[in-house]
Structure formats: C-alpha cells, structure tokens
Amino acid sequence: MSEKKRLTKLPTIRRMPMYLRMLTKVQKDGMLHVSSNYLAEALDLEAIVVRKDLAVAGILGKPRVGFEVTAAIAAIEKFMNFNSPSDAVLVGAGHLGQALLGYTGFVKLGLNIVAAFDSDPGKCGQVHDKPIYPLSEFSERCKDMNIHIGILCVPGRFAQEVTDLMVAAGLKGIWNFTPRKLNVPDEVVVQREDLAEGLAELSVKLSRMSGTEV
Amino acid sequence: MSEKKRLTKLPTIRRMPMYLRMLTKVQKDGMLHVSSNYLAEALDLEAIVVRKDLAVAGILGKPRVGFEVTAAIAAIEKFMNFNSPSDAVLVGAGHLGQALLGYTGFVKLGLNIVAAFDSDPGKCGQVHDKPIYPLSEFSERCKDMNIHIGILCVPGRFAQEVTDLMVAAGLKGIWNFTPRKLNVPDEVVVQREDLAEGLAELSVKLSRMSGTEV
DNA sequence: TAGATTGTTAATCGATTAACAATC
DNA sequence: TAGATTGTTAATCGATTAACAATC
C-alpha cells in the first residue's frame, strides 16, 4: 500500500547517524528531553532542519518540552533499520581496509563486517578479531555466509575486477572506496566514497578565507 | 577586484577531482580531445553537468570537437590551485591515519602531507617515508614548517583537545575524520568527513532496491 | 554543406529557510 | 496564564535539467 509514497530525501537520510550519535550522548548525560534548538546547536545545523528531519523519522516533539530522547533514538533506529545489522565483507586489507575493519561504530549503524579478503597471503589471518581470507575463497564464503554487502578497499586498478567478483557472488550493495567508476548490473547499488571531494571543498574554502577567491 | 563575484557552487568544486582524474587517464590513452558526452558517460554524469562545470573552470570547448584534453587539465589545476600544493600535517597515526599518509594521490590535488604526529611513542618513527613525531612536538614543528592544514585522525574523545592544539599552532584548515563537531574560531575552516553518511545512504538505497521502502 | 557538439537561456526540481498559528 | 517550542504552510534559494540557437 502507498507504493508511491514520497521517497525521503537523501540529505535527511545522511544526517540520521549524526542525530543518533548526539541523542545517544545526550541520553548518556541523563537528559530525558531535548529541543531541536539544542540539537541544532550541538550539530551545527538549523533548528528547523532538525525538526523536519526528525519528523521524517516519525518523531514528534511536544511544545515547551522538546523530543523524548529515548523514543527518538528508537525511532531513528527503526526508521533506518539500524537494529537489524547486515553482514558485510571487505576486500583489500591494506591500511584503509584495516581501519574500517577495526572501527566498531558501524554495527550501531546497521553494518556488521564479518570478514575481509586479500589477494596477498601475507595479509591473511586475523585483524581486530576479524578473519582475513585469501581472495580465492571469496565467492564460496560469501555464499556460505549469505553476504549482501561488500566494501571495496583495493587499489584502483583492481577495482572492476573485484567488483565483478562481488557481483558474481551475489552481493547487492558495494561501498566503493576506490576512485573508480564501477560497472555493475542495475540491481546492484554502488555507494562511492571519494575523499578527494572533501579535500577539494576544503581547499576552496581555505582560499576563500584567505581572500584568494575561487 | 570584482570582490562580489559569484562564488562557485560547492557541488561543482567537489566534482573537479573526478574530471581531473578522467582527463589525465584520457590523456594517457593518447586522446587529444574529449566531448562532454564522453566524460559524462565515463563518470556517470549528465553531459550538460560536465559542460557547465568545465565552463566554471574556464574551459570552453569547440562544437564538433569537444574539449582539448591538455588545456582542460591545465585549467582545472589552475582553477583549483592544484599546482601549488599546501603542506599539511596529520595527527593520529592509527590505521586510517597511515592509510591517508600512504596515499600518494593527494599531492596531485594540492595536498602534501609532510609529517604525522601521535601521542603514542611506539607509533613514532617513519611510515611511507613520512616521519611520525611525538605529539608533544606538534606546535613547534608546525610553526617551523609553516603548516596551515591539519588532518585529524584521532579517536573521537581526543578530537577537541587536538583541535585546540592545531588552532594554537596557527593552522587555518582542519580535515576532520572524527565524528565530532569541532569548536574553532571563525577564521579556521573545518571540513567534516563522516563515513557514516555514505553508509546511511547505501543502506537506504539497498532497502529501496529490495522493496523495503524508506 | 550537414550534422555533431557546443554555450546560453529558461524551466524544473528539490532542499532549505522563513513565518506563524497551534499547543503544552 | 504566558511563553517556549512545536508542526505546518509558504517563500526562497540553488542546483539540475531541458530546449535550442550558434558554430566549427
């Protein structure tokens, strides 16, 4: 029903982890309620943005009181499906790969990295309590574990090759940390993560600051 | 002059590194000219977006011919100031820090990471040909080297503390890889890099794919 | 010349921001 | 009650997309 219900805009979606983090902090601090104004201040946003975003996740506040912290946390987790984490695998256990592998915060955001793969046998073994397998075992293990999400941390020149492997193993989503465009079938989702974008933004903001307009 | 000239929109700025990469590749392949259509196809964009963006960087093409590859590369590099890299330092030589330290692609984008710092003496030494100094030497070394950009890769709970150190050392831009909001004076620019945003986007796209609308 | 590809100008779309009545 | 804070509705802003004349 309501098949054509309006799709939530992406900027709002992308802000959800921020709200969740801040609400959790605020909860730890013992606050039972929080105003949009408080959250906005703490997150460098406008209060109206916070209210609109929370409304999207089904969170309504009370005038004079604000938003109930615990309920808001629960609502975001439900809305974003953070409570039923998906298992994921990572390919490319270099520094970046290991950094992601060791980051414990993803589980709270619905992502559970269960294993990594690397073509270098020397990298195989155990890192951050996560097993690293030879890439040759990729397809078999993914199917065994019923994996749907892959994290791509290999050098750019191997990006498409490993992507093909991921698609063949039945993965449905690829988090792409290489600066390459990946060719995938329509039913596979690719999320690019290109640090160069942020760097470009930073340097332009800096030159604007110092007067060297761009 | 033209102090109030229109500021280039950020989305365009963020796409510049992509164009530069693709143009460089195309150049290596021996192409002298390239059409907006070709670039769009290769980068998953619309041709009109490519043309508008390139125009912003001062690159004009010729009907029937397209854009001159070498000139376009030069124009982007000039527009983005990629040719005069800024020296930067990094704090927090964990896995993420080391990954950034080892990534050679930043120099082409105007960022030259010259050293890292870590509070753990065990981490100090040399990584990827870059020196890692004790954090206690931060301020002195930054001033000596006339550094203006800092990359923050420490655990979240140290984020503000190290930020204060950076500000005190005279840094003007901070690339923030922690999920914390940083308090800085007005004249300091902070660029957030929050992987959780991309992850949230990916998981929503995935659930949309599989019918579980969000 | 004919036609591919450009830059420009206008239209659309989507997100943010503003204004304000509702309400606890 | 008075006033802080909400949700809603409308206005603005900015980016993308569409249409098309210009031109090599």
Side-chain angles (χ1 to χ4, degrees):
Chain A
M1 52 230 67
S2 90
E3 177 56 293
K4 214 47 212 163
K5 90 174 162 196
R6 196 63 209 86
L7 255 34
T8 305
K9 51 192 177 176
L10 253 17
T12 294
I13 295 289
R14 295 177 64 101
R15 285 189 289 262
M16 288 298 169
M18 267 177 39
Y19 296 129
L20 182 59
R21 263 189 228 120
M22 187 53 63
L23 286 165
T24 306
K25 176 181 187 302
V26 144
Q27 186 184 46
K28 206 172 297 169
D29 293 350
M31 292 171 64
L32 298 179
H33 297 268
V34 65
S35 70
S36 60
N37 224 297
Y38 183 99
L39 289 175
E41 183 79 13
L43 295 170
D44 248 341
L45 298 172
E46 296 296 319
I48 181 67
V49 170
V50 174
R51 270 179 274 148
K52 290 239 159 162
D53 285 345
L54 294 187
V56 162
I59 308 161
L60 293 188
K62 282 190 196 145
R64 284 282 282 164
V65 180
F67 300 85
E68 207 192 312
V69 174
T70 306
I73 290 175
I76 290 180
E77 287 174 339
K78 183 171 175 232
F79 176 71
M80 293 293 293
N81 260 304
F82 286 159
N83 272 334
S84 44
S86 306
D87 288 343
V89 294
L90 181 152
V91 179
H95 279 297
L96 177 60
Q98 291 191 34
L100 298 176
L101 216 50
Y103 183 60
T104 55
F106 291 143
V107 176
K108 287 175 218 150
L109 303 173
L111 189 82
N112 184 26
I113 310 179
V114 295
F117 295 85
D118 203 291
S119 59
D120 176 2
K123 291 251 180 65
C124 297
Q126 194 95 0
V127 169
H128 300 299
D129 291 329
K130 305 274 175 72
I132 304 183
Y133 300 116
L135 190 55
S136 54
E137 302 174 7
F138 184 79
S139 189
E140 192 190 341
R141 288 194 183 272
C142 282
K143 285 170 183 166
D144 281 357
M145 297 186 287
N146 193 31
I147 300 292
H148 290 117
I149 299 179
I151 307 174
L152 189 62
C153 299
V154 300
R157 63 187 180 283
F158 302 125
Q160 187 59 52
E161 182 183 329
V162 174
T163 297
D164 295 344
L165 215 56
M166 287 180 166
V167 171
L171 303 210
K172 293 304 174 205
I174 300 178
W175 200 5
N176 177 22
F177 284 83
T178 79
R180 301 292 176 98
K181 178 196 163 192
L182 307 179
N183 288 311
V184 295
D186 285 348
E187 73 272 14
V188 175
V189 176
V190 174
Q191 179 71 32
R192 295 191 335 124
E193 205 69 57
D194 187 355
L195 298 185
E197 294 186 3
L199 174 54
E201 190 173 330
L202 173 62
S203 52
V204 163
K205 283 178 183 165
L206 265 173
S207 60
R208 280 177 188 173
M209 260 304 175
S210 65
T212 322
E213 286 292 317
V214 171
Chain B
M1 53 229 68
S2 92
E3 177 57 294
K4 214 46 210 162
K5 89 175 166 199
R6 195 65 208 82
L7 255 34
T8 305
K9 50 192 179 179
L10 253 16
T12 294
I13 295 288
R14 296 177 64 100
R15 285 190 289 265
M16 289 297 170
M18 267 176 41
Y19 296 129
L20 182 59
R21 264 188 226 121
M22 186 54 63
L23 287 165
T24 306
K25 176 179 186 302
V26 143
Q27 185 183 47
K28 207 173 296 170
D29 292 351
M31 293 171 63
L32 298 179
H33 296 269
V34 65
S35 70
S36 61
N37 225 297
Y38 182 99
L39 287 175
E41 183 80 12
L43 294 171
D44 249 341
L45 299 171
E46 296 296 320
I48 181 67
V49 171
V50 174
R51 269 178 276 146
K52 290 239 159 166
D53 285 346
L54 294 188
V56 162
I59 307 161
L60 293 187
K62 282 190 197 145
R64 282 282 281 167
V65 180
F67 300 84
E68 206 193 314
V69 174
T70 306
I73 290 175
I76 290 180
E77 286 174 339
K78 182 172 175 231
F79 176 72
M80 293 292 294
N81 260 304
F82 285 161
N83 273 333
S84 44
S86 306
D87 288 342
V89 294
L90 181 152
V91 179
H95 280 297
L96 177 59
Q98 291 191 33
L100 298 177
L101 216 48
Y103 183 59
T104 54
F106 291 144
V107 176
K108 288 174 218 150
L109 303 174
L111 189 82
N112 184 28
I113 310 180
V114 294
F117 295 85
D118 202 290
S119 59
D120 176 1
K123 291 250 180 65
C124 297
Q126 194 93 2
V127 169
H128 301 297
D129 291 329
K130 306 275 176 70
I132 304 183
Y133 300 115
L135 190 55
S136 54
E137 302 174 7
F138 184 79
S139 189
E140 192 191 340
R141 288 194 182 273
C142 282
K143 284 171 184 167
D144 280 357
M145 298 186 286
N146 193 29
I147 300 293
H148 291 116
I149 300 179
I151 307 175
L152 189 63
C153 300
V154 300
R157 62 188 179 285
F158 303 125
Q160 186 59 52
E161 182 183 328
V162 174
T163 297
D164 295 343
L165 216 54
M166 287 180 165
V167 171
L171 304 209
K172 292 304 176 204
I174 299 178
W175 200 5
N176 176 22
F177 284 84
T178 79
R180 301 292 177 98
K181 179 194 163 194
L182 307 180
N183 288 312
V184 295
D186 284 349
E187 72 274 14
V188 174
V189 176
V190 174
Q191 180 70 32
R192 295 192 334 125
E193 205 68 58
D194 187 355
L195 298 184
E197 293 185 4
L199 175 54
E201 191 175 329
L202 173 62
S203 53
V204 163
K205 283 178 184 165
L206 265 173
S207 60
R208 279 176 188 173
M209 262 302 178
S210 65
T212 322
E213 288 293 319
V214 170

